[in-house]
Amino acid sequence: MLKGGFGKSIFANTLGGVLGDVRGHDVLVADLDPAGHLSTGLGYYTREDEDALDLGDVLLEDASPEDIIKQPGYGFDFIPSVNLETVTEDLSRDSVMASDMRLKQDLVDPLLGDEYEYILFDIPGSRNKLVNNAVVAAPNAILPLKPVPEALNGMRETATKLVGEIRQHIDFEILAVVPNDLRARIDQQTKDRRLLEAMNTQEQFAAYLLAGRDGVDPDTGTLPEGVDVAEVLDNHIPPFARVTADEWAAIDADEMDPPKIPIRHSAAFGDAYEERKPVTAYDPECTQIQHFEALAEIIEQGGI
C-alpha cells in the first residue's frame, strides 16, 4: 500500500512467524522501510551507521546476502532496515531498469528456492526505488486496509500509481486485500461497515484490484463488459472477510446475524511490539493468528 499506518509491518512479522514457526517453511523477512518499524518491533534499533554492512552493500557492491541476514529466533530469518535512505539514493543514480532489478538479481534469485521457500518484504508507504525493486523481485502482494477515512484513497493511489504502472511491464498479482484492526459492529453505519461494504460490493474496488489490465479504468471504477464484479472480489477477498451483496441485504433486514469479521483489533499485537517479538512468539494463543494462517495458505496456493 502506498500509505502508512495500515499494519504492513504487523502483517509481515506475523506472516513470517506463521509461515516459518507454525507451518515449517524456510522464510526470510526483509524490512525495506527506512522508518524501520518492523525492525524495531523485532529488537533491531535502526540508525544511520555508515560503517554498518547494509542492503546497499549487497545490491551495489560485492557483499553476500548472508552477510546482512539476522536470526531473531522466531521461525524466520530477517534483514533489518539499516541506512535505507542512503541505499535508495544510491539506487536512484543507476539507470532505471538496472536499479529496479537489483533486489531480484542480487538477493531473491540467489536465495529463493535454495535457502528460502518464501521471502517477504515490508515496504514503505510511499513509492521509491526500493518499492520498485520489491514489486519486481516479489510480484505478489497482500494489502491490509484499516477502517479509516483514507483507506479507499490509499487503495486508489496504490492501484493507479503502482499496480497499474507495474502491470505494464510485469505480471503483478494482488493475492489478497485484508481488512485489519476492526473493532465495530457491521450492522450499523460504522467505519468498519463502510470499508467492508466497499471491499465486498463495489465495482470501483474491483477496478482497483484489476488496475492495469486491458479495459480496466480504476479512475472511473469501470470494468470491461462481461467481467463479473462478484467473481473479482471472490478472487481477492479472503473467505473470512467476504460478505456478498445478498448477505449485506439479509443483515440489514435482520434475516442474518452479522458476522464478526476479522482481522480484529487485539492488544496482543501492540504488546508483542513492545516486547520486540512477533505475536506468534509473544502470544501463540492469540485468536487472530488463525486468520493469518488462512493468509499463509493463500500464499502457499498462490491465490484464493
Side-chain angles (χ1 to χ4, degrees):
M1 284 289 294
L2 295 184
K3 204 77 170 176
F6 284 114
K8 295 190 295 291
S9 296
I10 287 175
F11 266 59
N13 72 21
T14 307
L15 282 169
V18 167
L19 284 165
D21 201 29
V22 178
R23 302 181 76 85
H25 296 293
D26 294 319
V27 181
L28 175 65
V29 180
D31 188 353
L32 300 185
D33 187 348
H37 297 302
L38 175 58
S39 299
T40 301
L42 292 172
Y44 296 91
Y45 297 93
T46 60
R47 300 181 181 87
E48 290 296 310
D49 182 355
E50 294 180 0
D51 296 326
L53 205 63
D54 58 42
L55 188 61
D57 293 299
V58 174
L59 303 186
L60 298 166
E61 303 296 339
D62 295 323
S64 167
E66 287 83 355
D67 293 337
I68 62 170
I69 293 173
K70 312 297 182 182
Q71 288 80 35
Y74 303 124
F76 56 89
D77 291 348
F78 184 62
I79 297 176
S81 168
V82 178
N83 301 331
L84 290 187
E85 293 284 6
T86 302
V87 174
T88 301
E89 292 172 4
D90 290 343
L91 285 171
S92 297
R93 297 190 186 99
D94 207 340
S95 67
V96 174
M97 199 60 192
S99 63
D100 288 349
M101 295 290 293
R102 293 287 189 180
L103 195 63
K104 181 180 188 302
Q105 293 174 342
D106 298 331
L107 185 91
V108 171
D109 286 349
L111 297 178
L112 188 62
D114 292 331
E115 298 292 332
Y116 299 102
E117 296 171 81
Y118 297 100
I119 298 177
L120 309 181
F121 296 119
D122 180 32
I123 64 171
S126 58
R127 190 170 179 181
N128 61 23
K129 277 293 181 182
L130 283 174
V131 172
N132 289 358
N133 269 263
V135 296
V136 171
N140 298 288
I142 289 181
L143 306 180
L145 282 180
K146 282 189 176 182
V148 293
E150 61 268 25
L152 295 179
N153 183 58
M155 189 67 195
R156 181 184 67 80
E157 292 285 298
T158 301
T160 58
K161 295 184 178 180
L162 179 63
V163 176
E165 290 183 12
I166 289 295
R167 281 178 173 158
Q168 304 308 307
H169 305 284
I170 63 172
D171 186 16
F172 182 83
E173 295 296 337
I174 298 174
L175 297 182
V177 180
V178 189
N180 183 38
D181 202 33
L182 302 182
R183 310 182 191 211
R185 299 168 61 116
I186 65 168
D187 56 348
Q188 301 173 356
Q189 285 302 316
T190 61
K191 290 183 291 185
D192 291 24
R193 162 74 182 245
R194 289 190 287 273
L195 174 64
L196 287 167
E197 195 164 14
M199 290 175 60
N200 277 286
T201 64
Q202 289 184 1
E203 182 176 356
Q204 176 84 67
F205 198 86
Y208 294 157
L209 297 170
L210 298 185
R213 308 291 193 206
D214 289 343
V216 176
D217 188 342
D219 287 315
T220 61
T222 54
L223 298 173
E225 185 176 351
V227 174
D228 184 79
V229 172
E231 184 176 349
V232 174
L233 299 174
D234 285 342
N235 290 335
H236 292 86
I237 309 297
F240 62 71
R242 188 76 174 97
V243 185
T244 66
D246 288 343
E247 288 171 330
W248 285 114
I251 290 168
D252 291 339
D254 293 327
E255 296 170 355
M256 172 182 167
D257 291 333
K260 196 172 184 178
I261 300 295
I263 290 172
R264 309 296 296 178
H265 174 80
S266 172
F269 292 113
D271 293 343
Y273 185 88
E274 291 183 3
E275 291 294 320
R276 307 307 187 224
K277 298 178 180 179
V279 72
T280 46
Y282 174 77
D283 182 8
E285 301 303 316
C286 175
T287 58
Q288 297 308 300
I289 292 175
Q290 64 182 304
H291 309 302
F292 284 92
E293 290 196 55
L295 292 176
E297 289 185 17
I298 291 171
I299 291 172
E300 291 167 342
Q301 295 166 183
I304 295 173

